[in-house]
Amino acid sequence: MLNFTAFNPTRLHFGKGVLEKLGPEAARTGQKALIIIGKGSVKSNGILKKVTDSLDSNQLEWRLFEGVKSNPEYELADAAVEAAKLYGADMIIAVGGGSVIDTAKAVCAGVYVDHSVWEFYAGKGIQPKNALPLLVVLTLAATGTEMNRFTVLQDTENQHKRGWGHELLYPKISYLDPEFTYTVPANYTAYGVADMLAHTFELYFSTDPAPLSDAFATEVVKLGFQYGPQVINDGKNYQARANILWLSTIALNGSLQAGKRTGDFGVHSFEHVLSVLFDIPHGAGLSIVYPAWMKHFQNQIGHKLDVLAQTVLGPSAVGSDFIVALENFYDQIKTPKRLSDWGIGKDKHALILQTLEANKVKGAFFDMKSADYKAMLDLMA
């Protein structure tokens, strides 16, 4: 087990009615909020009005910035930065899922610099010296960005999708009411479940030995298998929604990384290429890539895959049983498990390979080169 530092400054309120705390806590944070949302679902389902009512009742000023898409682009974040500067916002409130929150994190850092936020993501080592406080009202169980320091944006024109992390990007406060996820459509609920499992796998398959973190991860997967179908089949099952929401937070808030340098995240890097090329929802792309990755690297991850199988399926299970069970699970929650399920044919393989090469896709522990890309594409065709 490696040395580690545990640090997470985000205050997280979880459960029914927690949004009541927003107005008073925002009033202690600042006076002028830029509220960032997606395409408008939080308007139609009433969540945005609850946010603004809470701000109004505490005599706070606010303005709305909307239009964040499911694979968020840096240009929109730059536009939000300009809106925040012109308005004189002293805090950002993100109301939505991971894409909205990731964009909001970029804005929080971007208001203090004169360059595009993409410079933070471009791998040049540029880091912020300050950031606005971020308050998060989460509406989708998926990414864990509500309690971590990471954000992902893409440069669609140049076919790059990249993550970036910094301690200044931790949300100050996050509000997680499971009832706010009731209106999420079944398909996006399923993509969120797939994303949660992928984060858990990425950390579990790190080669750094950390037995407690690994045991924790296998239990997250086991509970994900239990509650995932329930949230698909009964979207207003509070206990199922609450458990999936908390599992998604735990999967990437640092709890599964203690004693490890990092997760592998090669599957995420591979999926980012699918997202930037085909605008596929991130979780849907992950459910396509992960079975292929497990099959391709099975000889190298065999023991850990066996342990995962035995935890989730029973003491006699082996790794190959888990891969079959995972694909069956994806069928059950109706996420794609092959590129053809998303209408991406073999005629696109050359483009995918070219983009994988251009982005130098690989994992932290499991390297991938051209032959690996091709073998995995054949498995996910």
Side-chain angles (χ1 to χ4, degrees):
M1 188 173 186
L2 302 178
N3 292 3
F4 67 93
T5 298
F7 173 75
N8 195 312
T10 301
R11 181 183 299 276
L12 187 142
H13 299 301
F14 189 102
K16 294 180 182 179
V18 294
L19 197 61
E20 294 174 359
K21 302 176 186 290
L22 173 64
E25 291 182 326
R28 293 193 290 271
T29 303
Q31 287 297 312
K32 300 178 74 173
L34 183 72
I35 303 173
I36 298 177
I37 67 171
K39 296 289 189 171
S41 62
V42 294
K43 288 181 175 179
S44 58
N45 62 26
I47 294 174
L48 179 61
K49 188 174 188 307
K50 291 180 179 180
V51 170
T52 57
D53 283 351
S54 185
L55 298 178
D56 290 342
S57 65
N58 285 270
Q59 292 78 52
L60 296 174
E61 298 180 44
W62 57 270
R63 283 191 183 172
L64 189 63
F65 184 92
E66 56 188 306
V68 178
K69 55 180 286 190
S70 61
N71 286 306
E73 297 171 322
Y74 82 88
E75 294 95 339
L76 193 74
D78 282 342
V81 166
E82 291 308 308
K85 288 179 176 179
L86 287 171
Y87 179 50
D90 53 18
M91 63 180 144
I92 304 295
I93 299 178
V95 185
S99 298
V100 171
I101 301 166
D102 282 3
T103 300
K105 288 179 177 179
V107 175
C108 288
V111 296
Y112 287 101
V113 297
D114 295 326
H115 57 72
S116 168
V117 299
W118 187 250
E119 296 297 307
F120 293 130
Y121 297 78
K124 300 176 182 177
I126 297 174
Q127 300 294 341
K129 296 181 179 178
N130 207 345
L132 287 179
L134 172 63
L135 278 62
V136 166
V137 179
L138 185 64
T139 63
L140 175 67
T143 69
T145 190
E146 66 275 5
M147 202 178 184
N148 69 40
R149 63 186 183 92
F150 300 106
T151 163
V152 176
L153 292 181
Q154 71 182 40
D155 174 357
T156 304
E157 181 180 353
N158 294 301
Q159 299 180 336
H160 297 303
K161 185 171 184 178
R162 291 179 176 164
W164 167 55
H166 194 278
E167 287 190 359
L168 290 172
L169 303 183
Y170 279 103
K172 178 181 176 66
I173 310 171
S174 288
Y175 305 86
L176 277 63
D177 186 333
E179 292 186 334
F180 285 3
T181 67
Y182 281 2
T183 58
V184 177
N187 59 341
Y188 274 87
T189 297
Y191 304 152
V193 172
D195 198 4
M196 175 270 290
L197 289 175
H199 291 149
T200 307
F201 294 147
E202 298 283 21
L203 289 158
Y204 176 69
F205 286 114
S206 161
T207 59
D208 292 331
L212 181 58
S213 293
D214 283 348
F216 200 1
T218 61
E219 290 297 328
V220 169
V221 175
K222 184 176 181 179
L223 289 170
F225 271 43
Q226 176 183 340
Y227 289 109
Q230 293 182 28
V231 294
I232 304 303
N233 297 327
D234 180 6
K236 293 188 178 180
N237 181 329
Y238 181 84
Q239 291 302 323
R241 286 284 192 183
N243 276 282
I244 287 294
L245 189 60
W246 183 229
L247 288 170
S248 297
T249 302
I250 287 292
L252 206 60
N253 73 348
S255 297
L256 307 186
Q257 191 174 325
K260 304 183 178 200
R261 286 166 289 175
T262 183
D264 186 65
F265 291 103
V267 170
H268 270 71
S269 295
F270 197 115
E271 193 289 322
H272 286 168
V273 166
L274 301 182
S275 289
V276 80
L277 287 177
F278 307 110
D279 202 27
I280 184 172
H282 181 52
L286 290 169
S287 69
I288 292 171
V289 180
Y290 239 118
W293 184 90
M294 288 181 179
K295 291 172 186 176
H296 182 66
F297 287 103
Q298 190 167 357
N299 288 339
Q300 293 163 257
I301 62 172
H303 172 67
K304 297 197 83 167
L305 200 55
D306 288 344
V307 172
L308 181 58
Q310 289 154 17
T311 302
V312 176
L313 304 175
S316 63
V318 296
S320 57
D321 296 329
F322 181 80
I323 298 174
V324 172
L326 180 63
E327 292 190 314
N328 290 338
F329 177 81
Y330 289 149
D331 284 338
Q332 193 175 4
I333 65 172
K334 297 182 174 61
T335 59
K337 61 183 184 184
R338 299 288 185 273
L339 289 169
S340 57
D341 294 340
W342 205 262
I344 302 170
K346 290 187 177 181
D347 60 310
K348 300 296 184 183
H349 282 201
L351 173 62
I352 297 170
L353 285 168
Q354 176 186 338
T355 312
L356 289 165
E357 294 277 4
N359 283 275
K360 300 178 181 178
V361 167
K362 63 179 181 178
F365 299 96
F366 299 95
D367 196 9
M368 286 184 277
K369 301 187 184 304
S370 297
D372 302 288
Y373 302 153
K374 187 177 186 307
M376 288 177 60
L377 279 174
D378 288 342
L379 288 168
M380 67 180 77

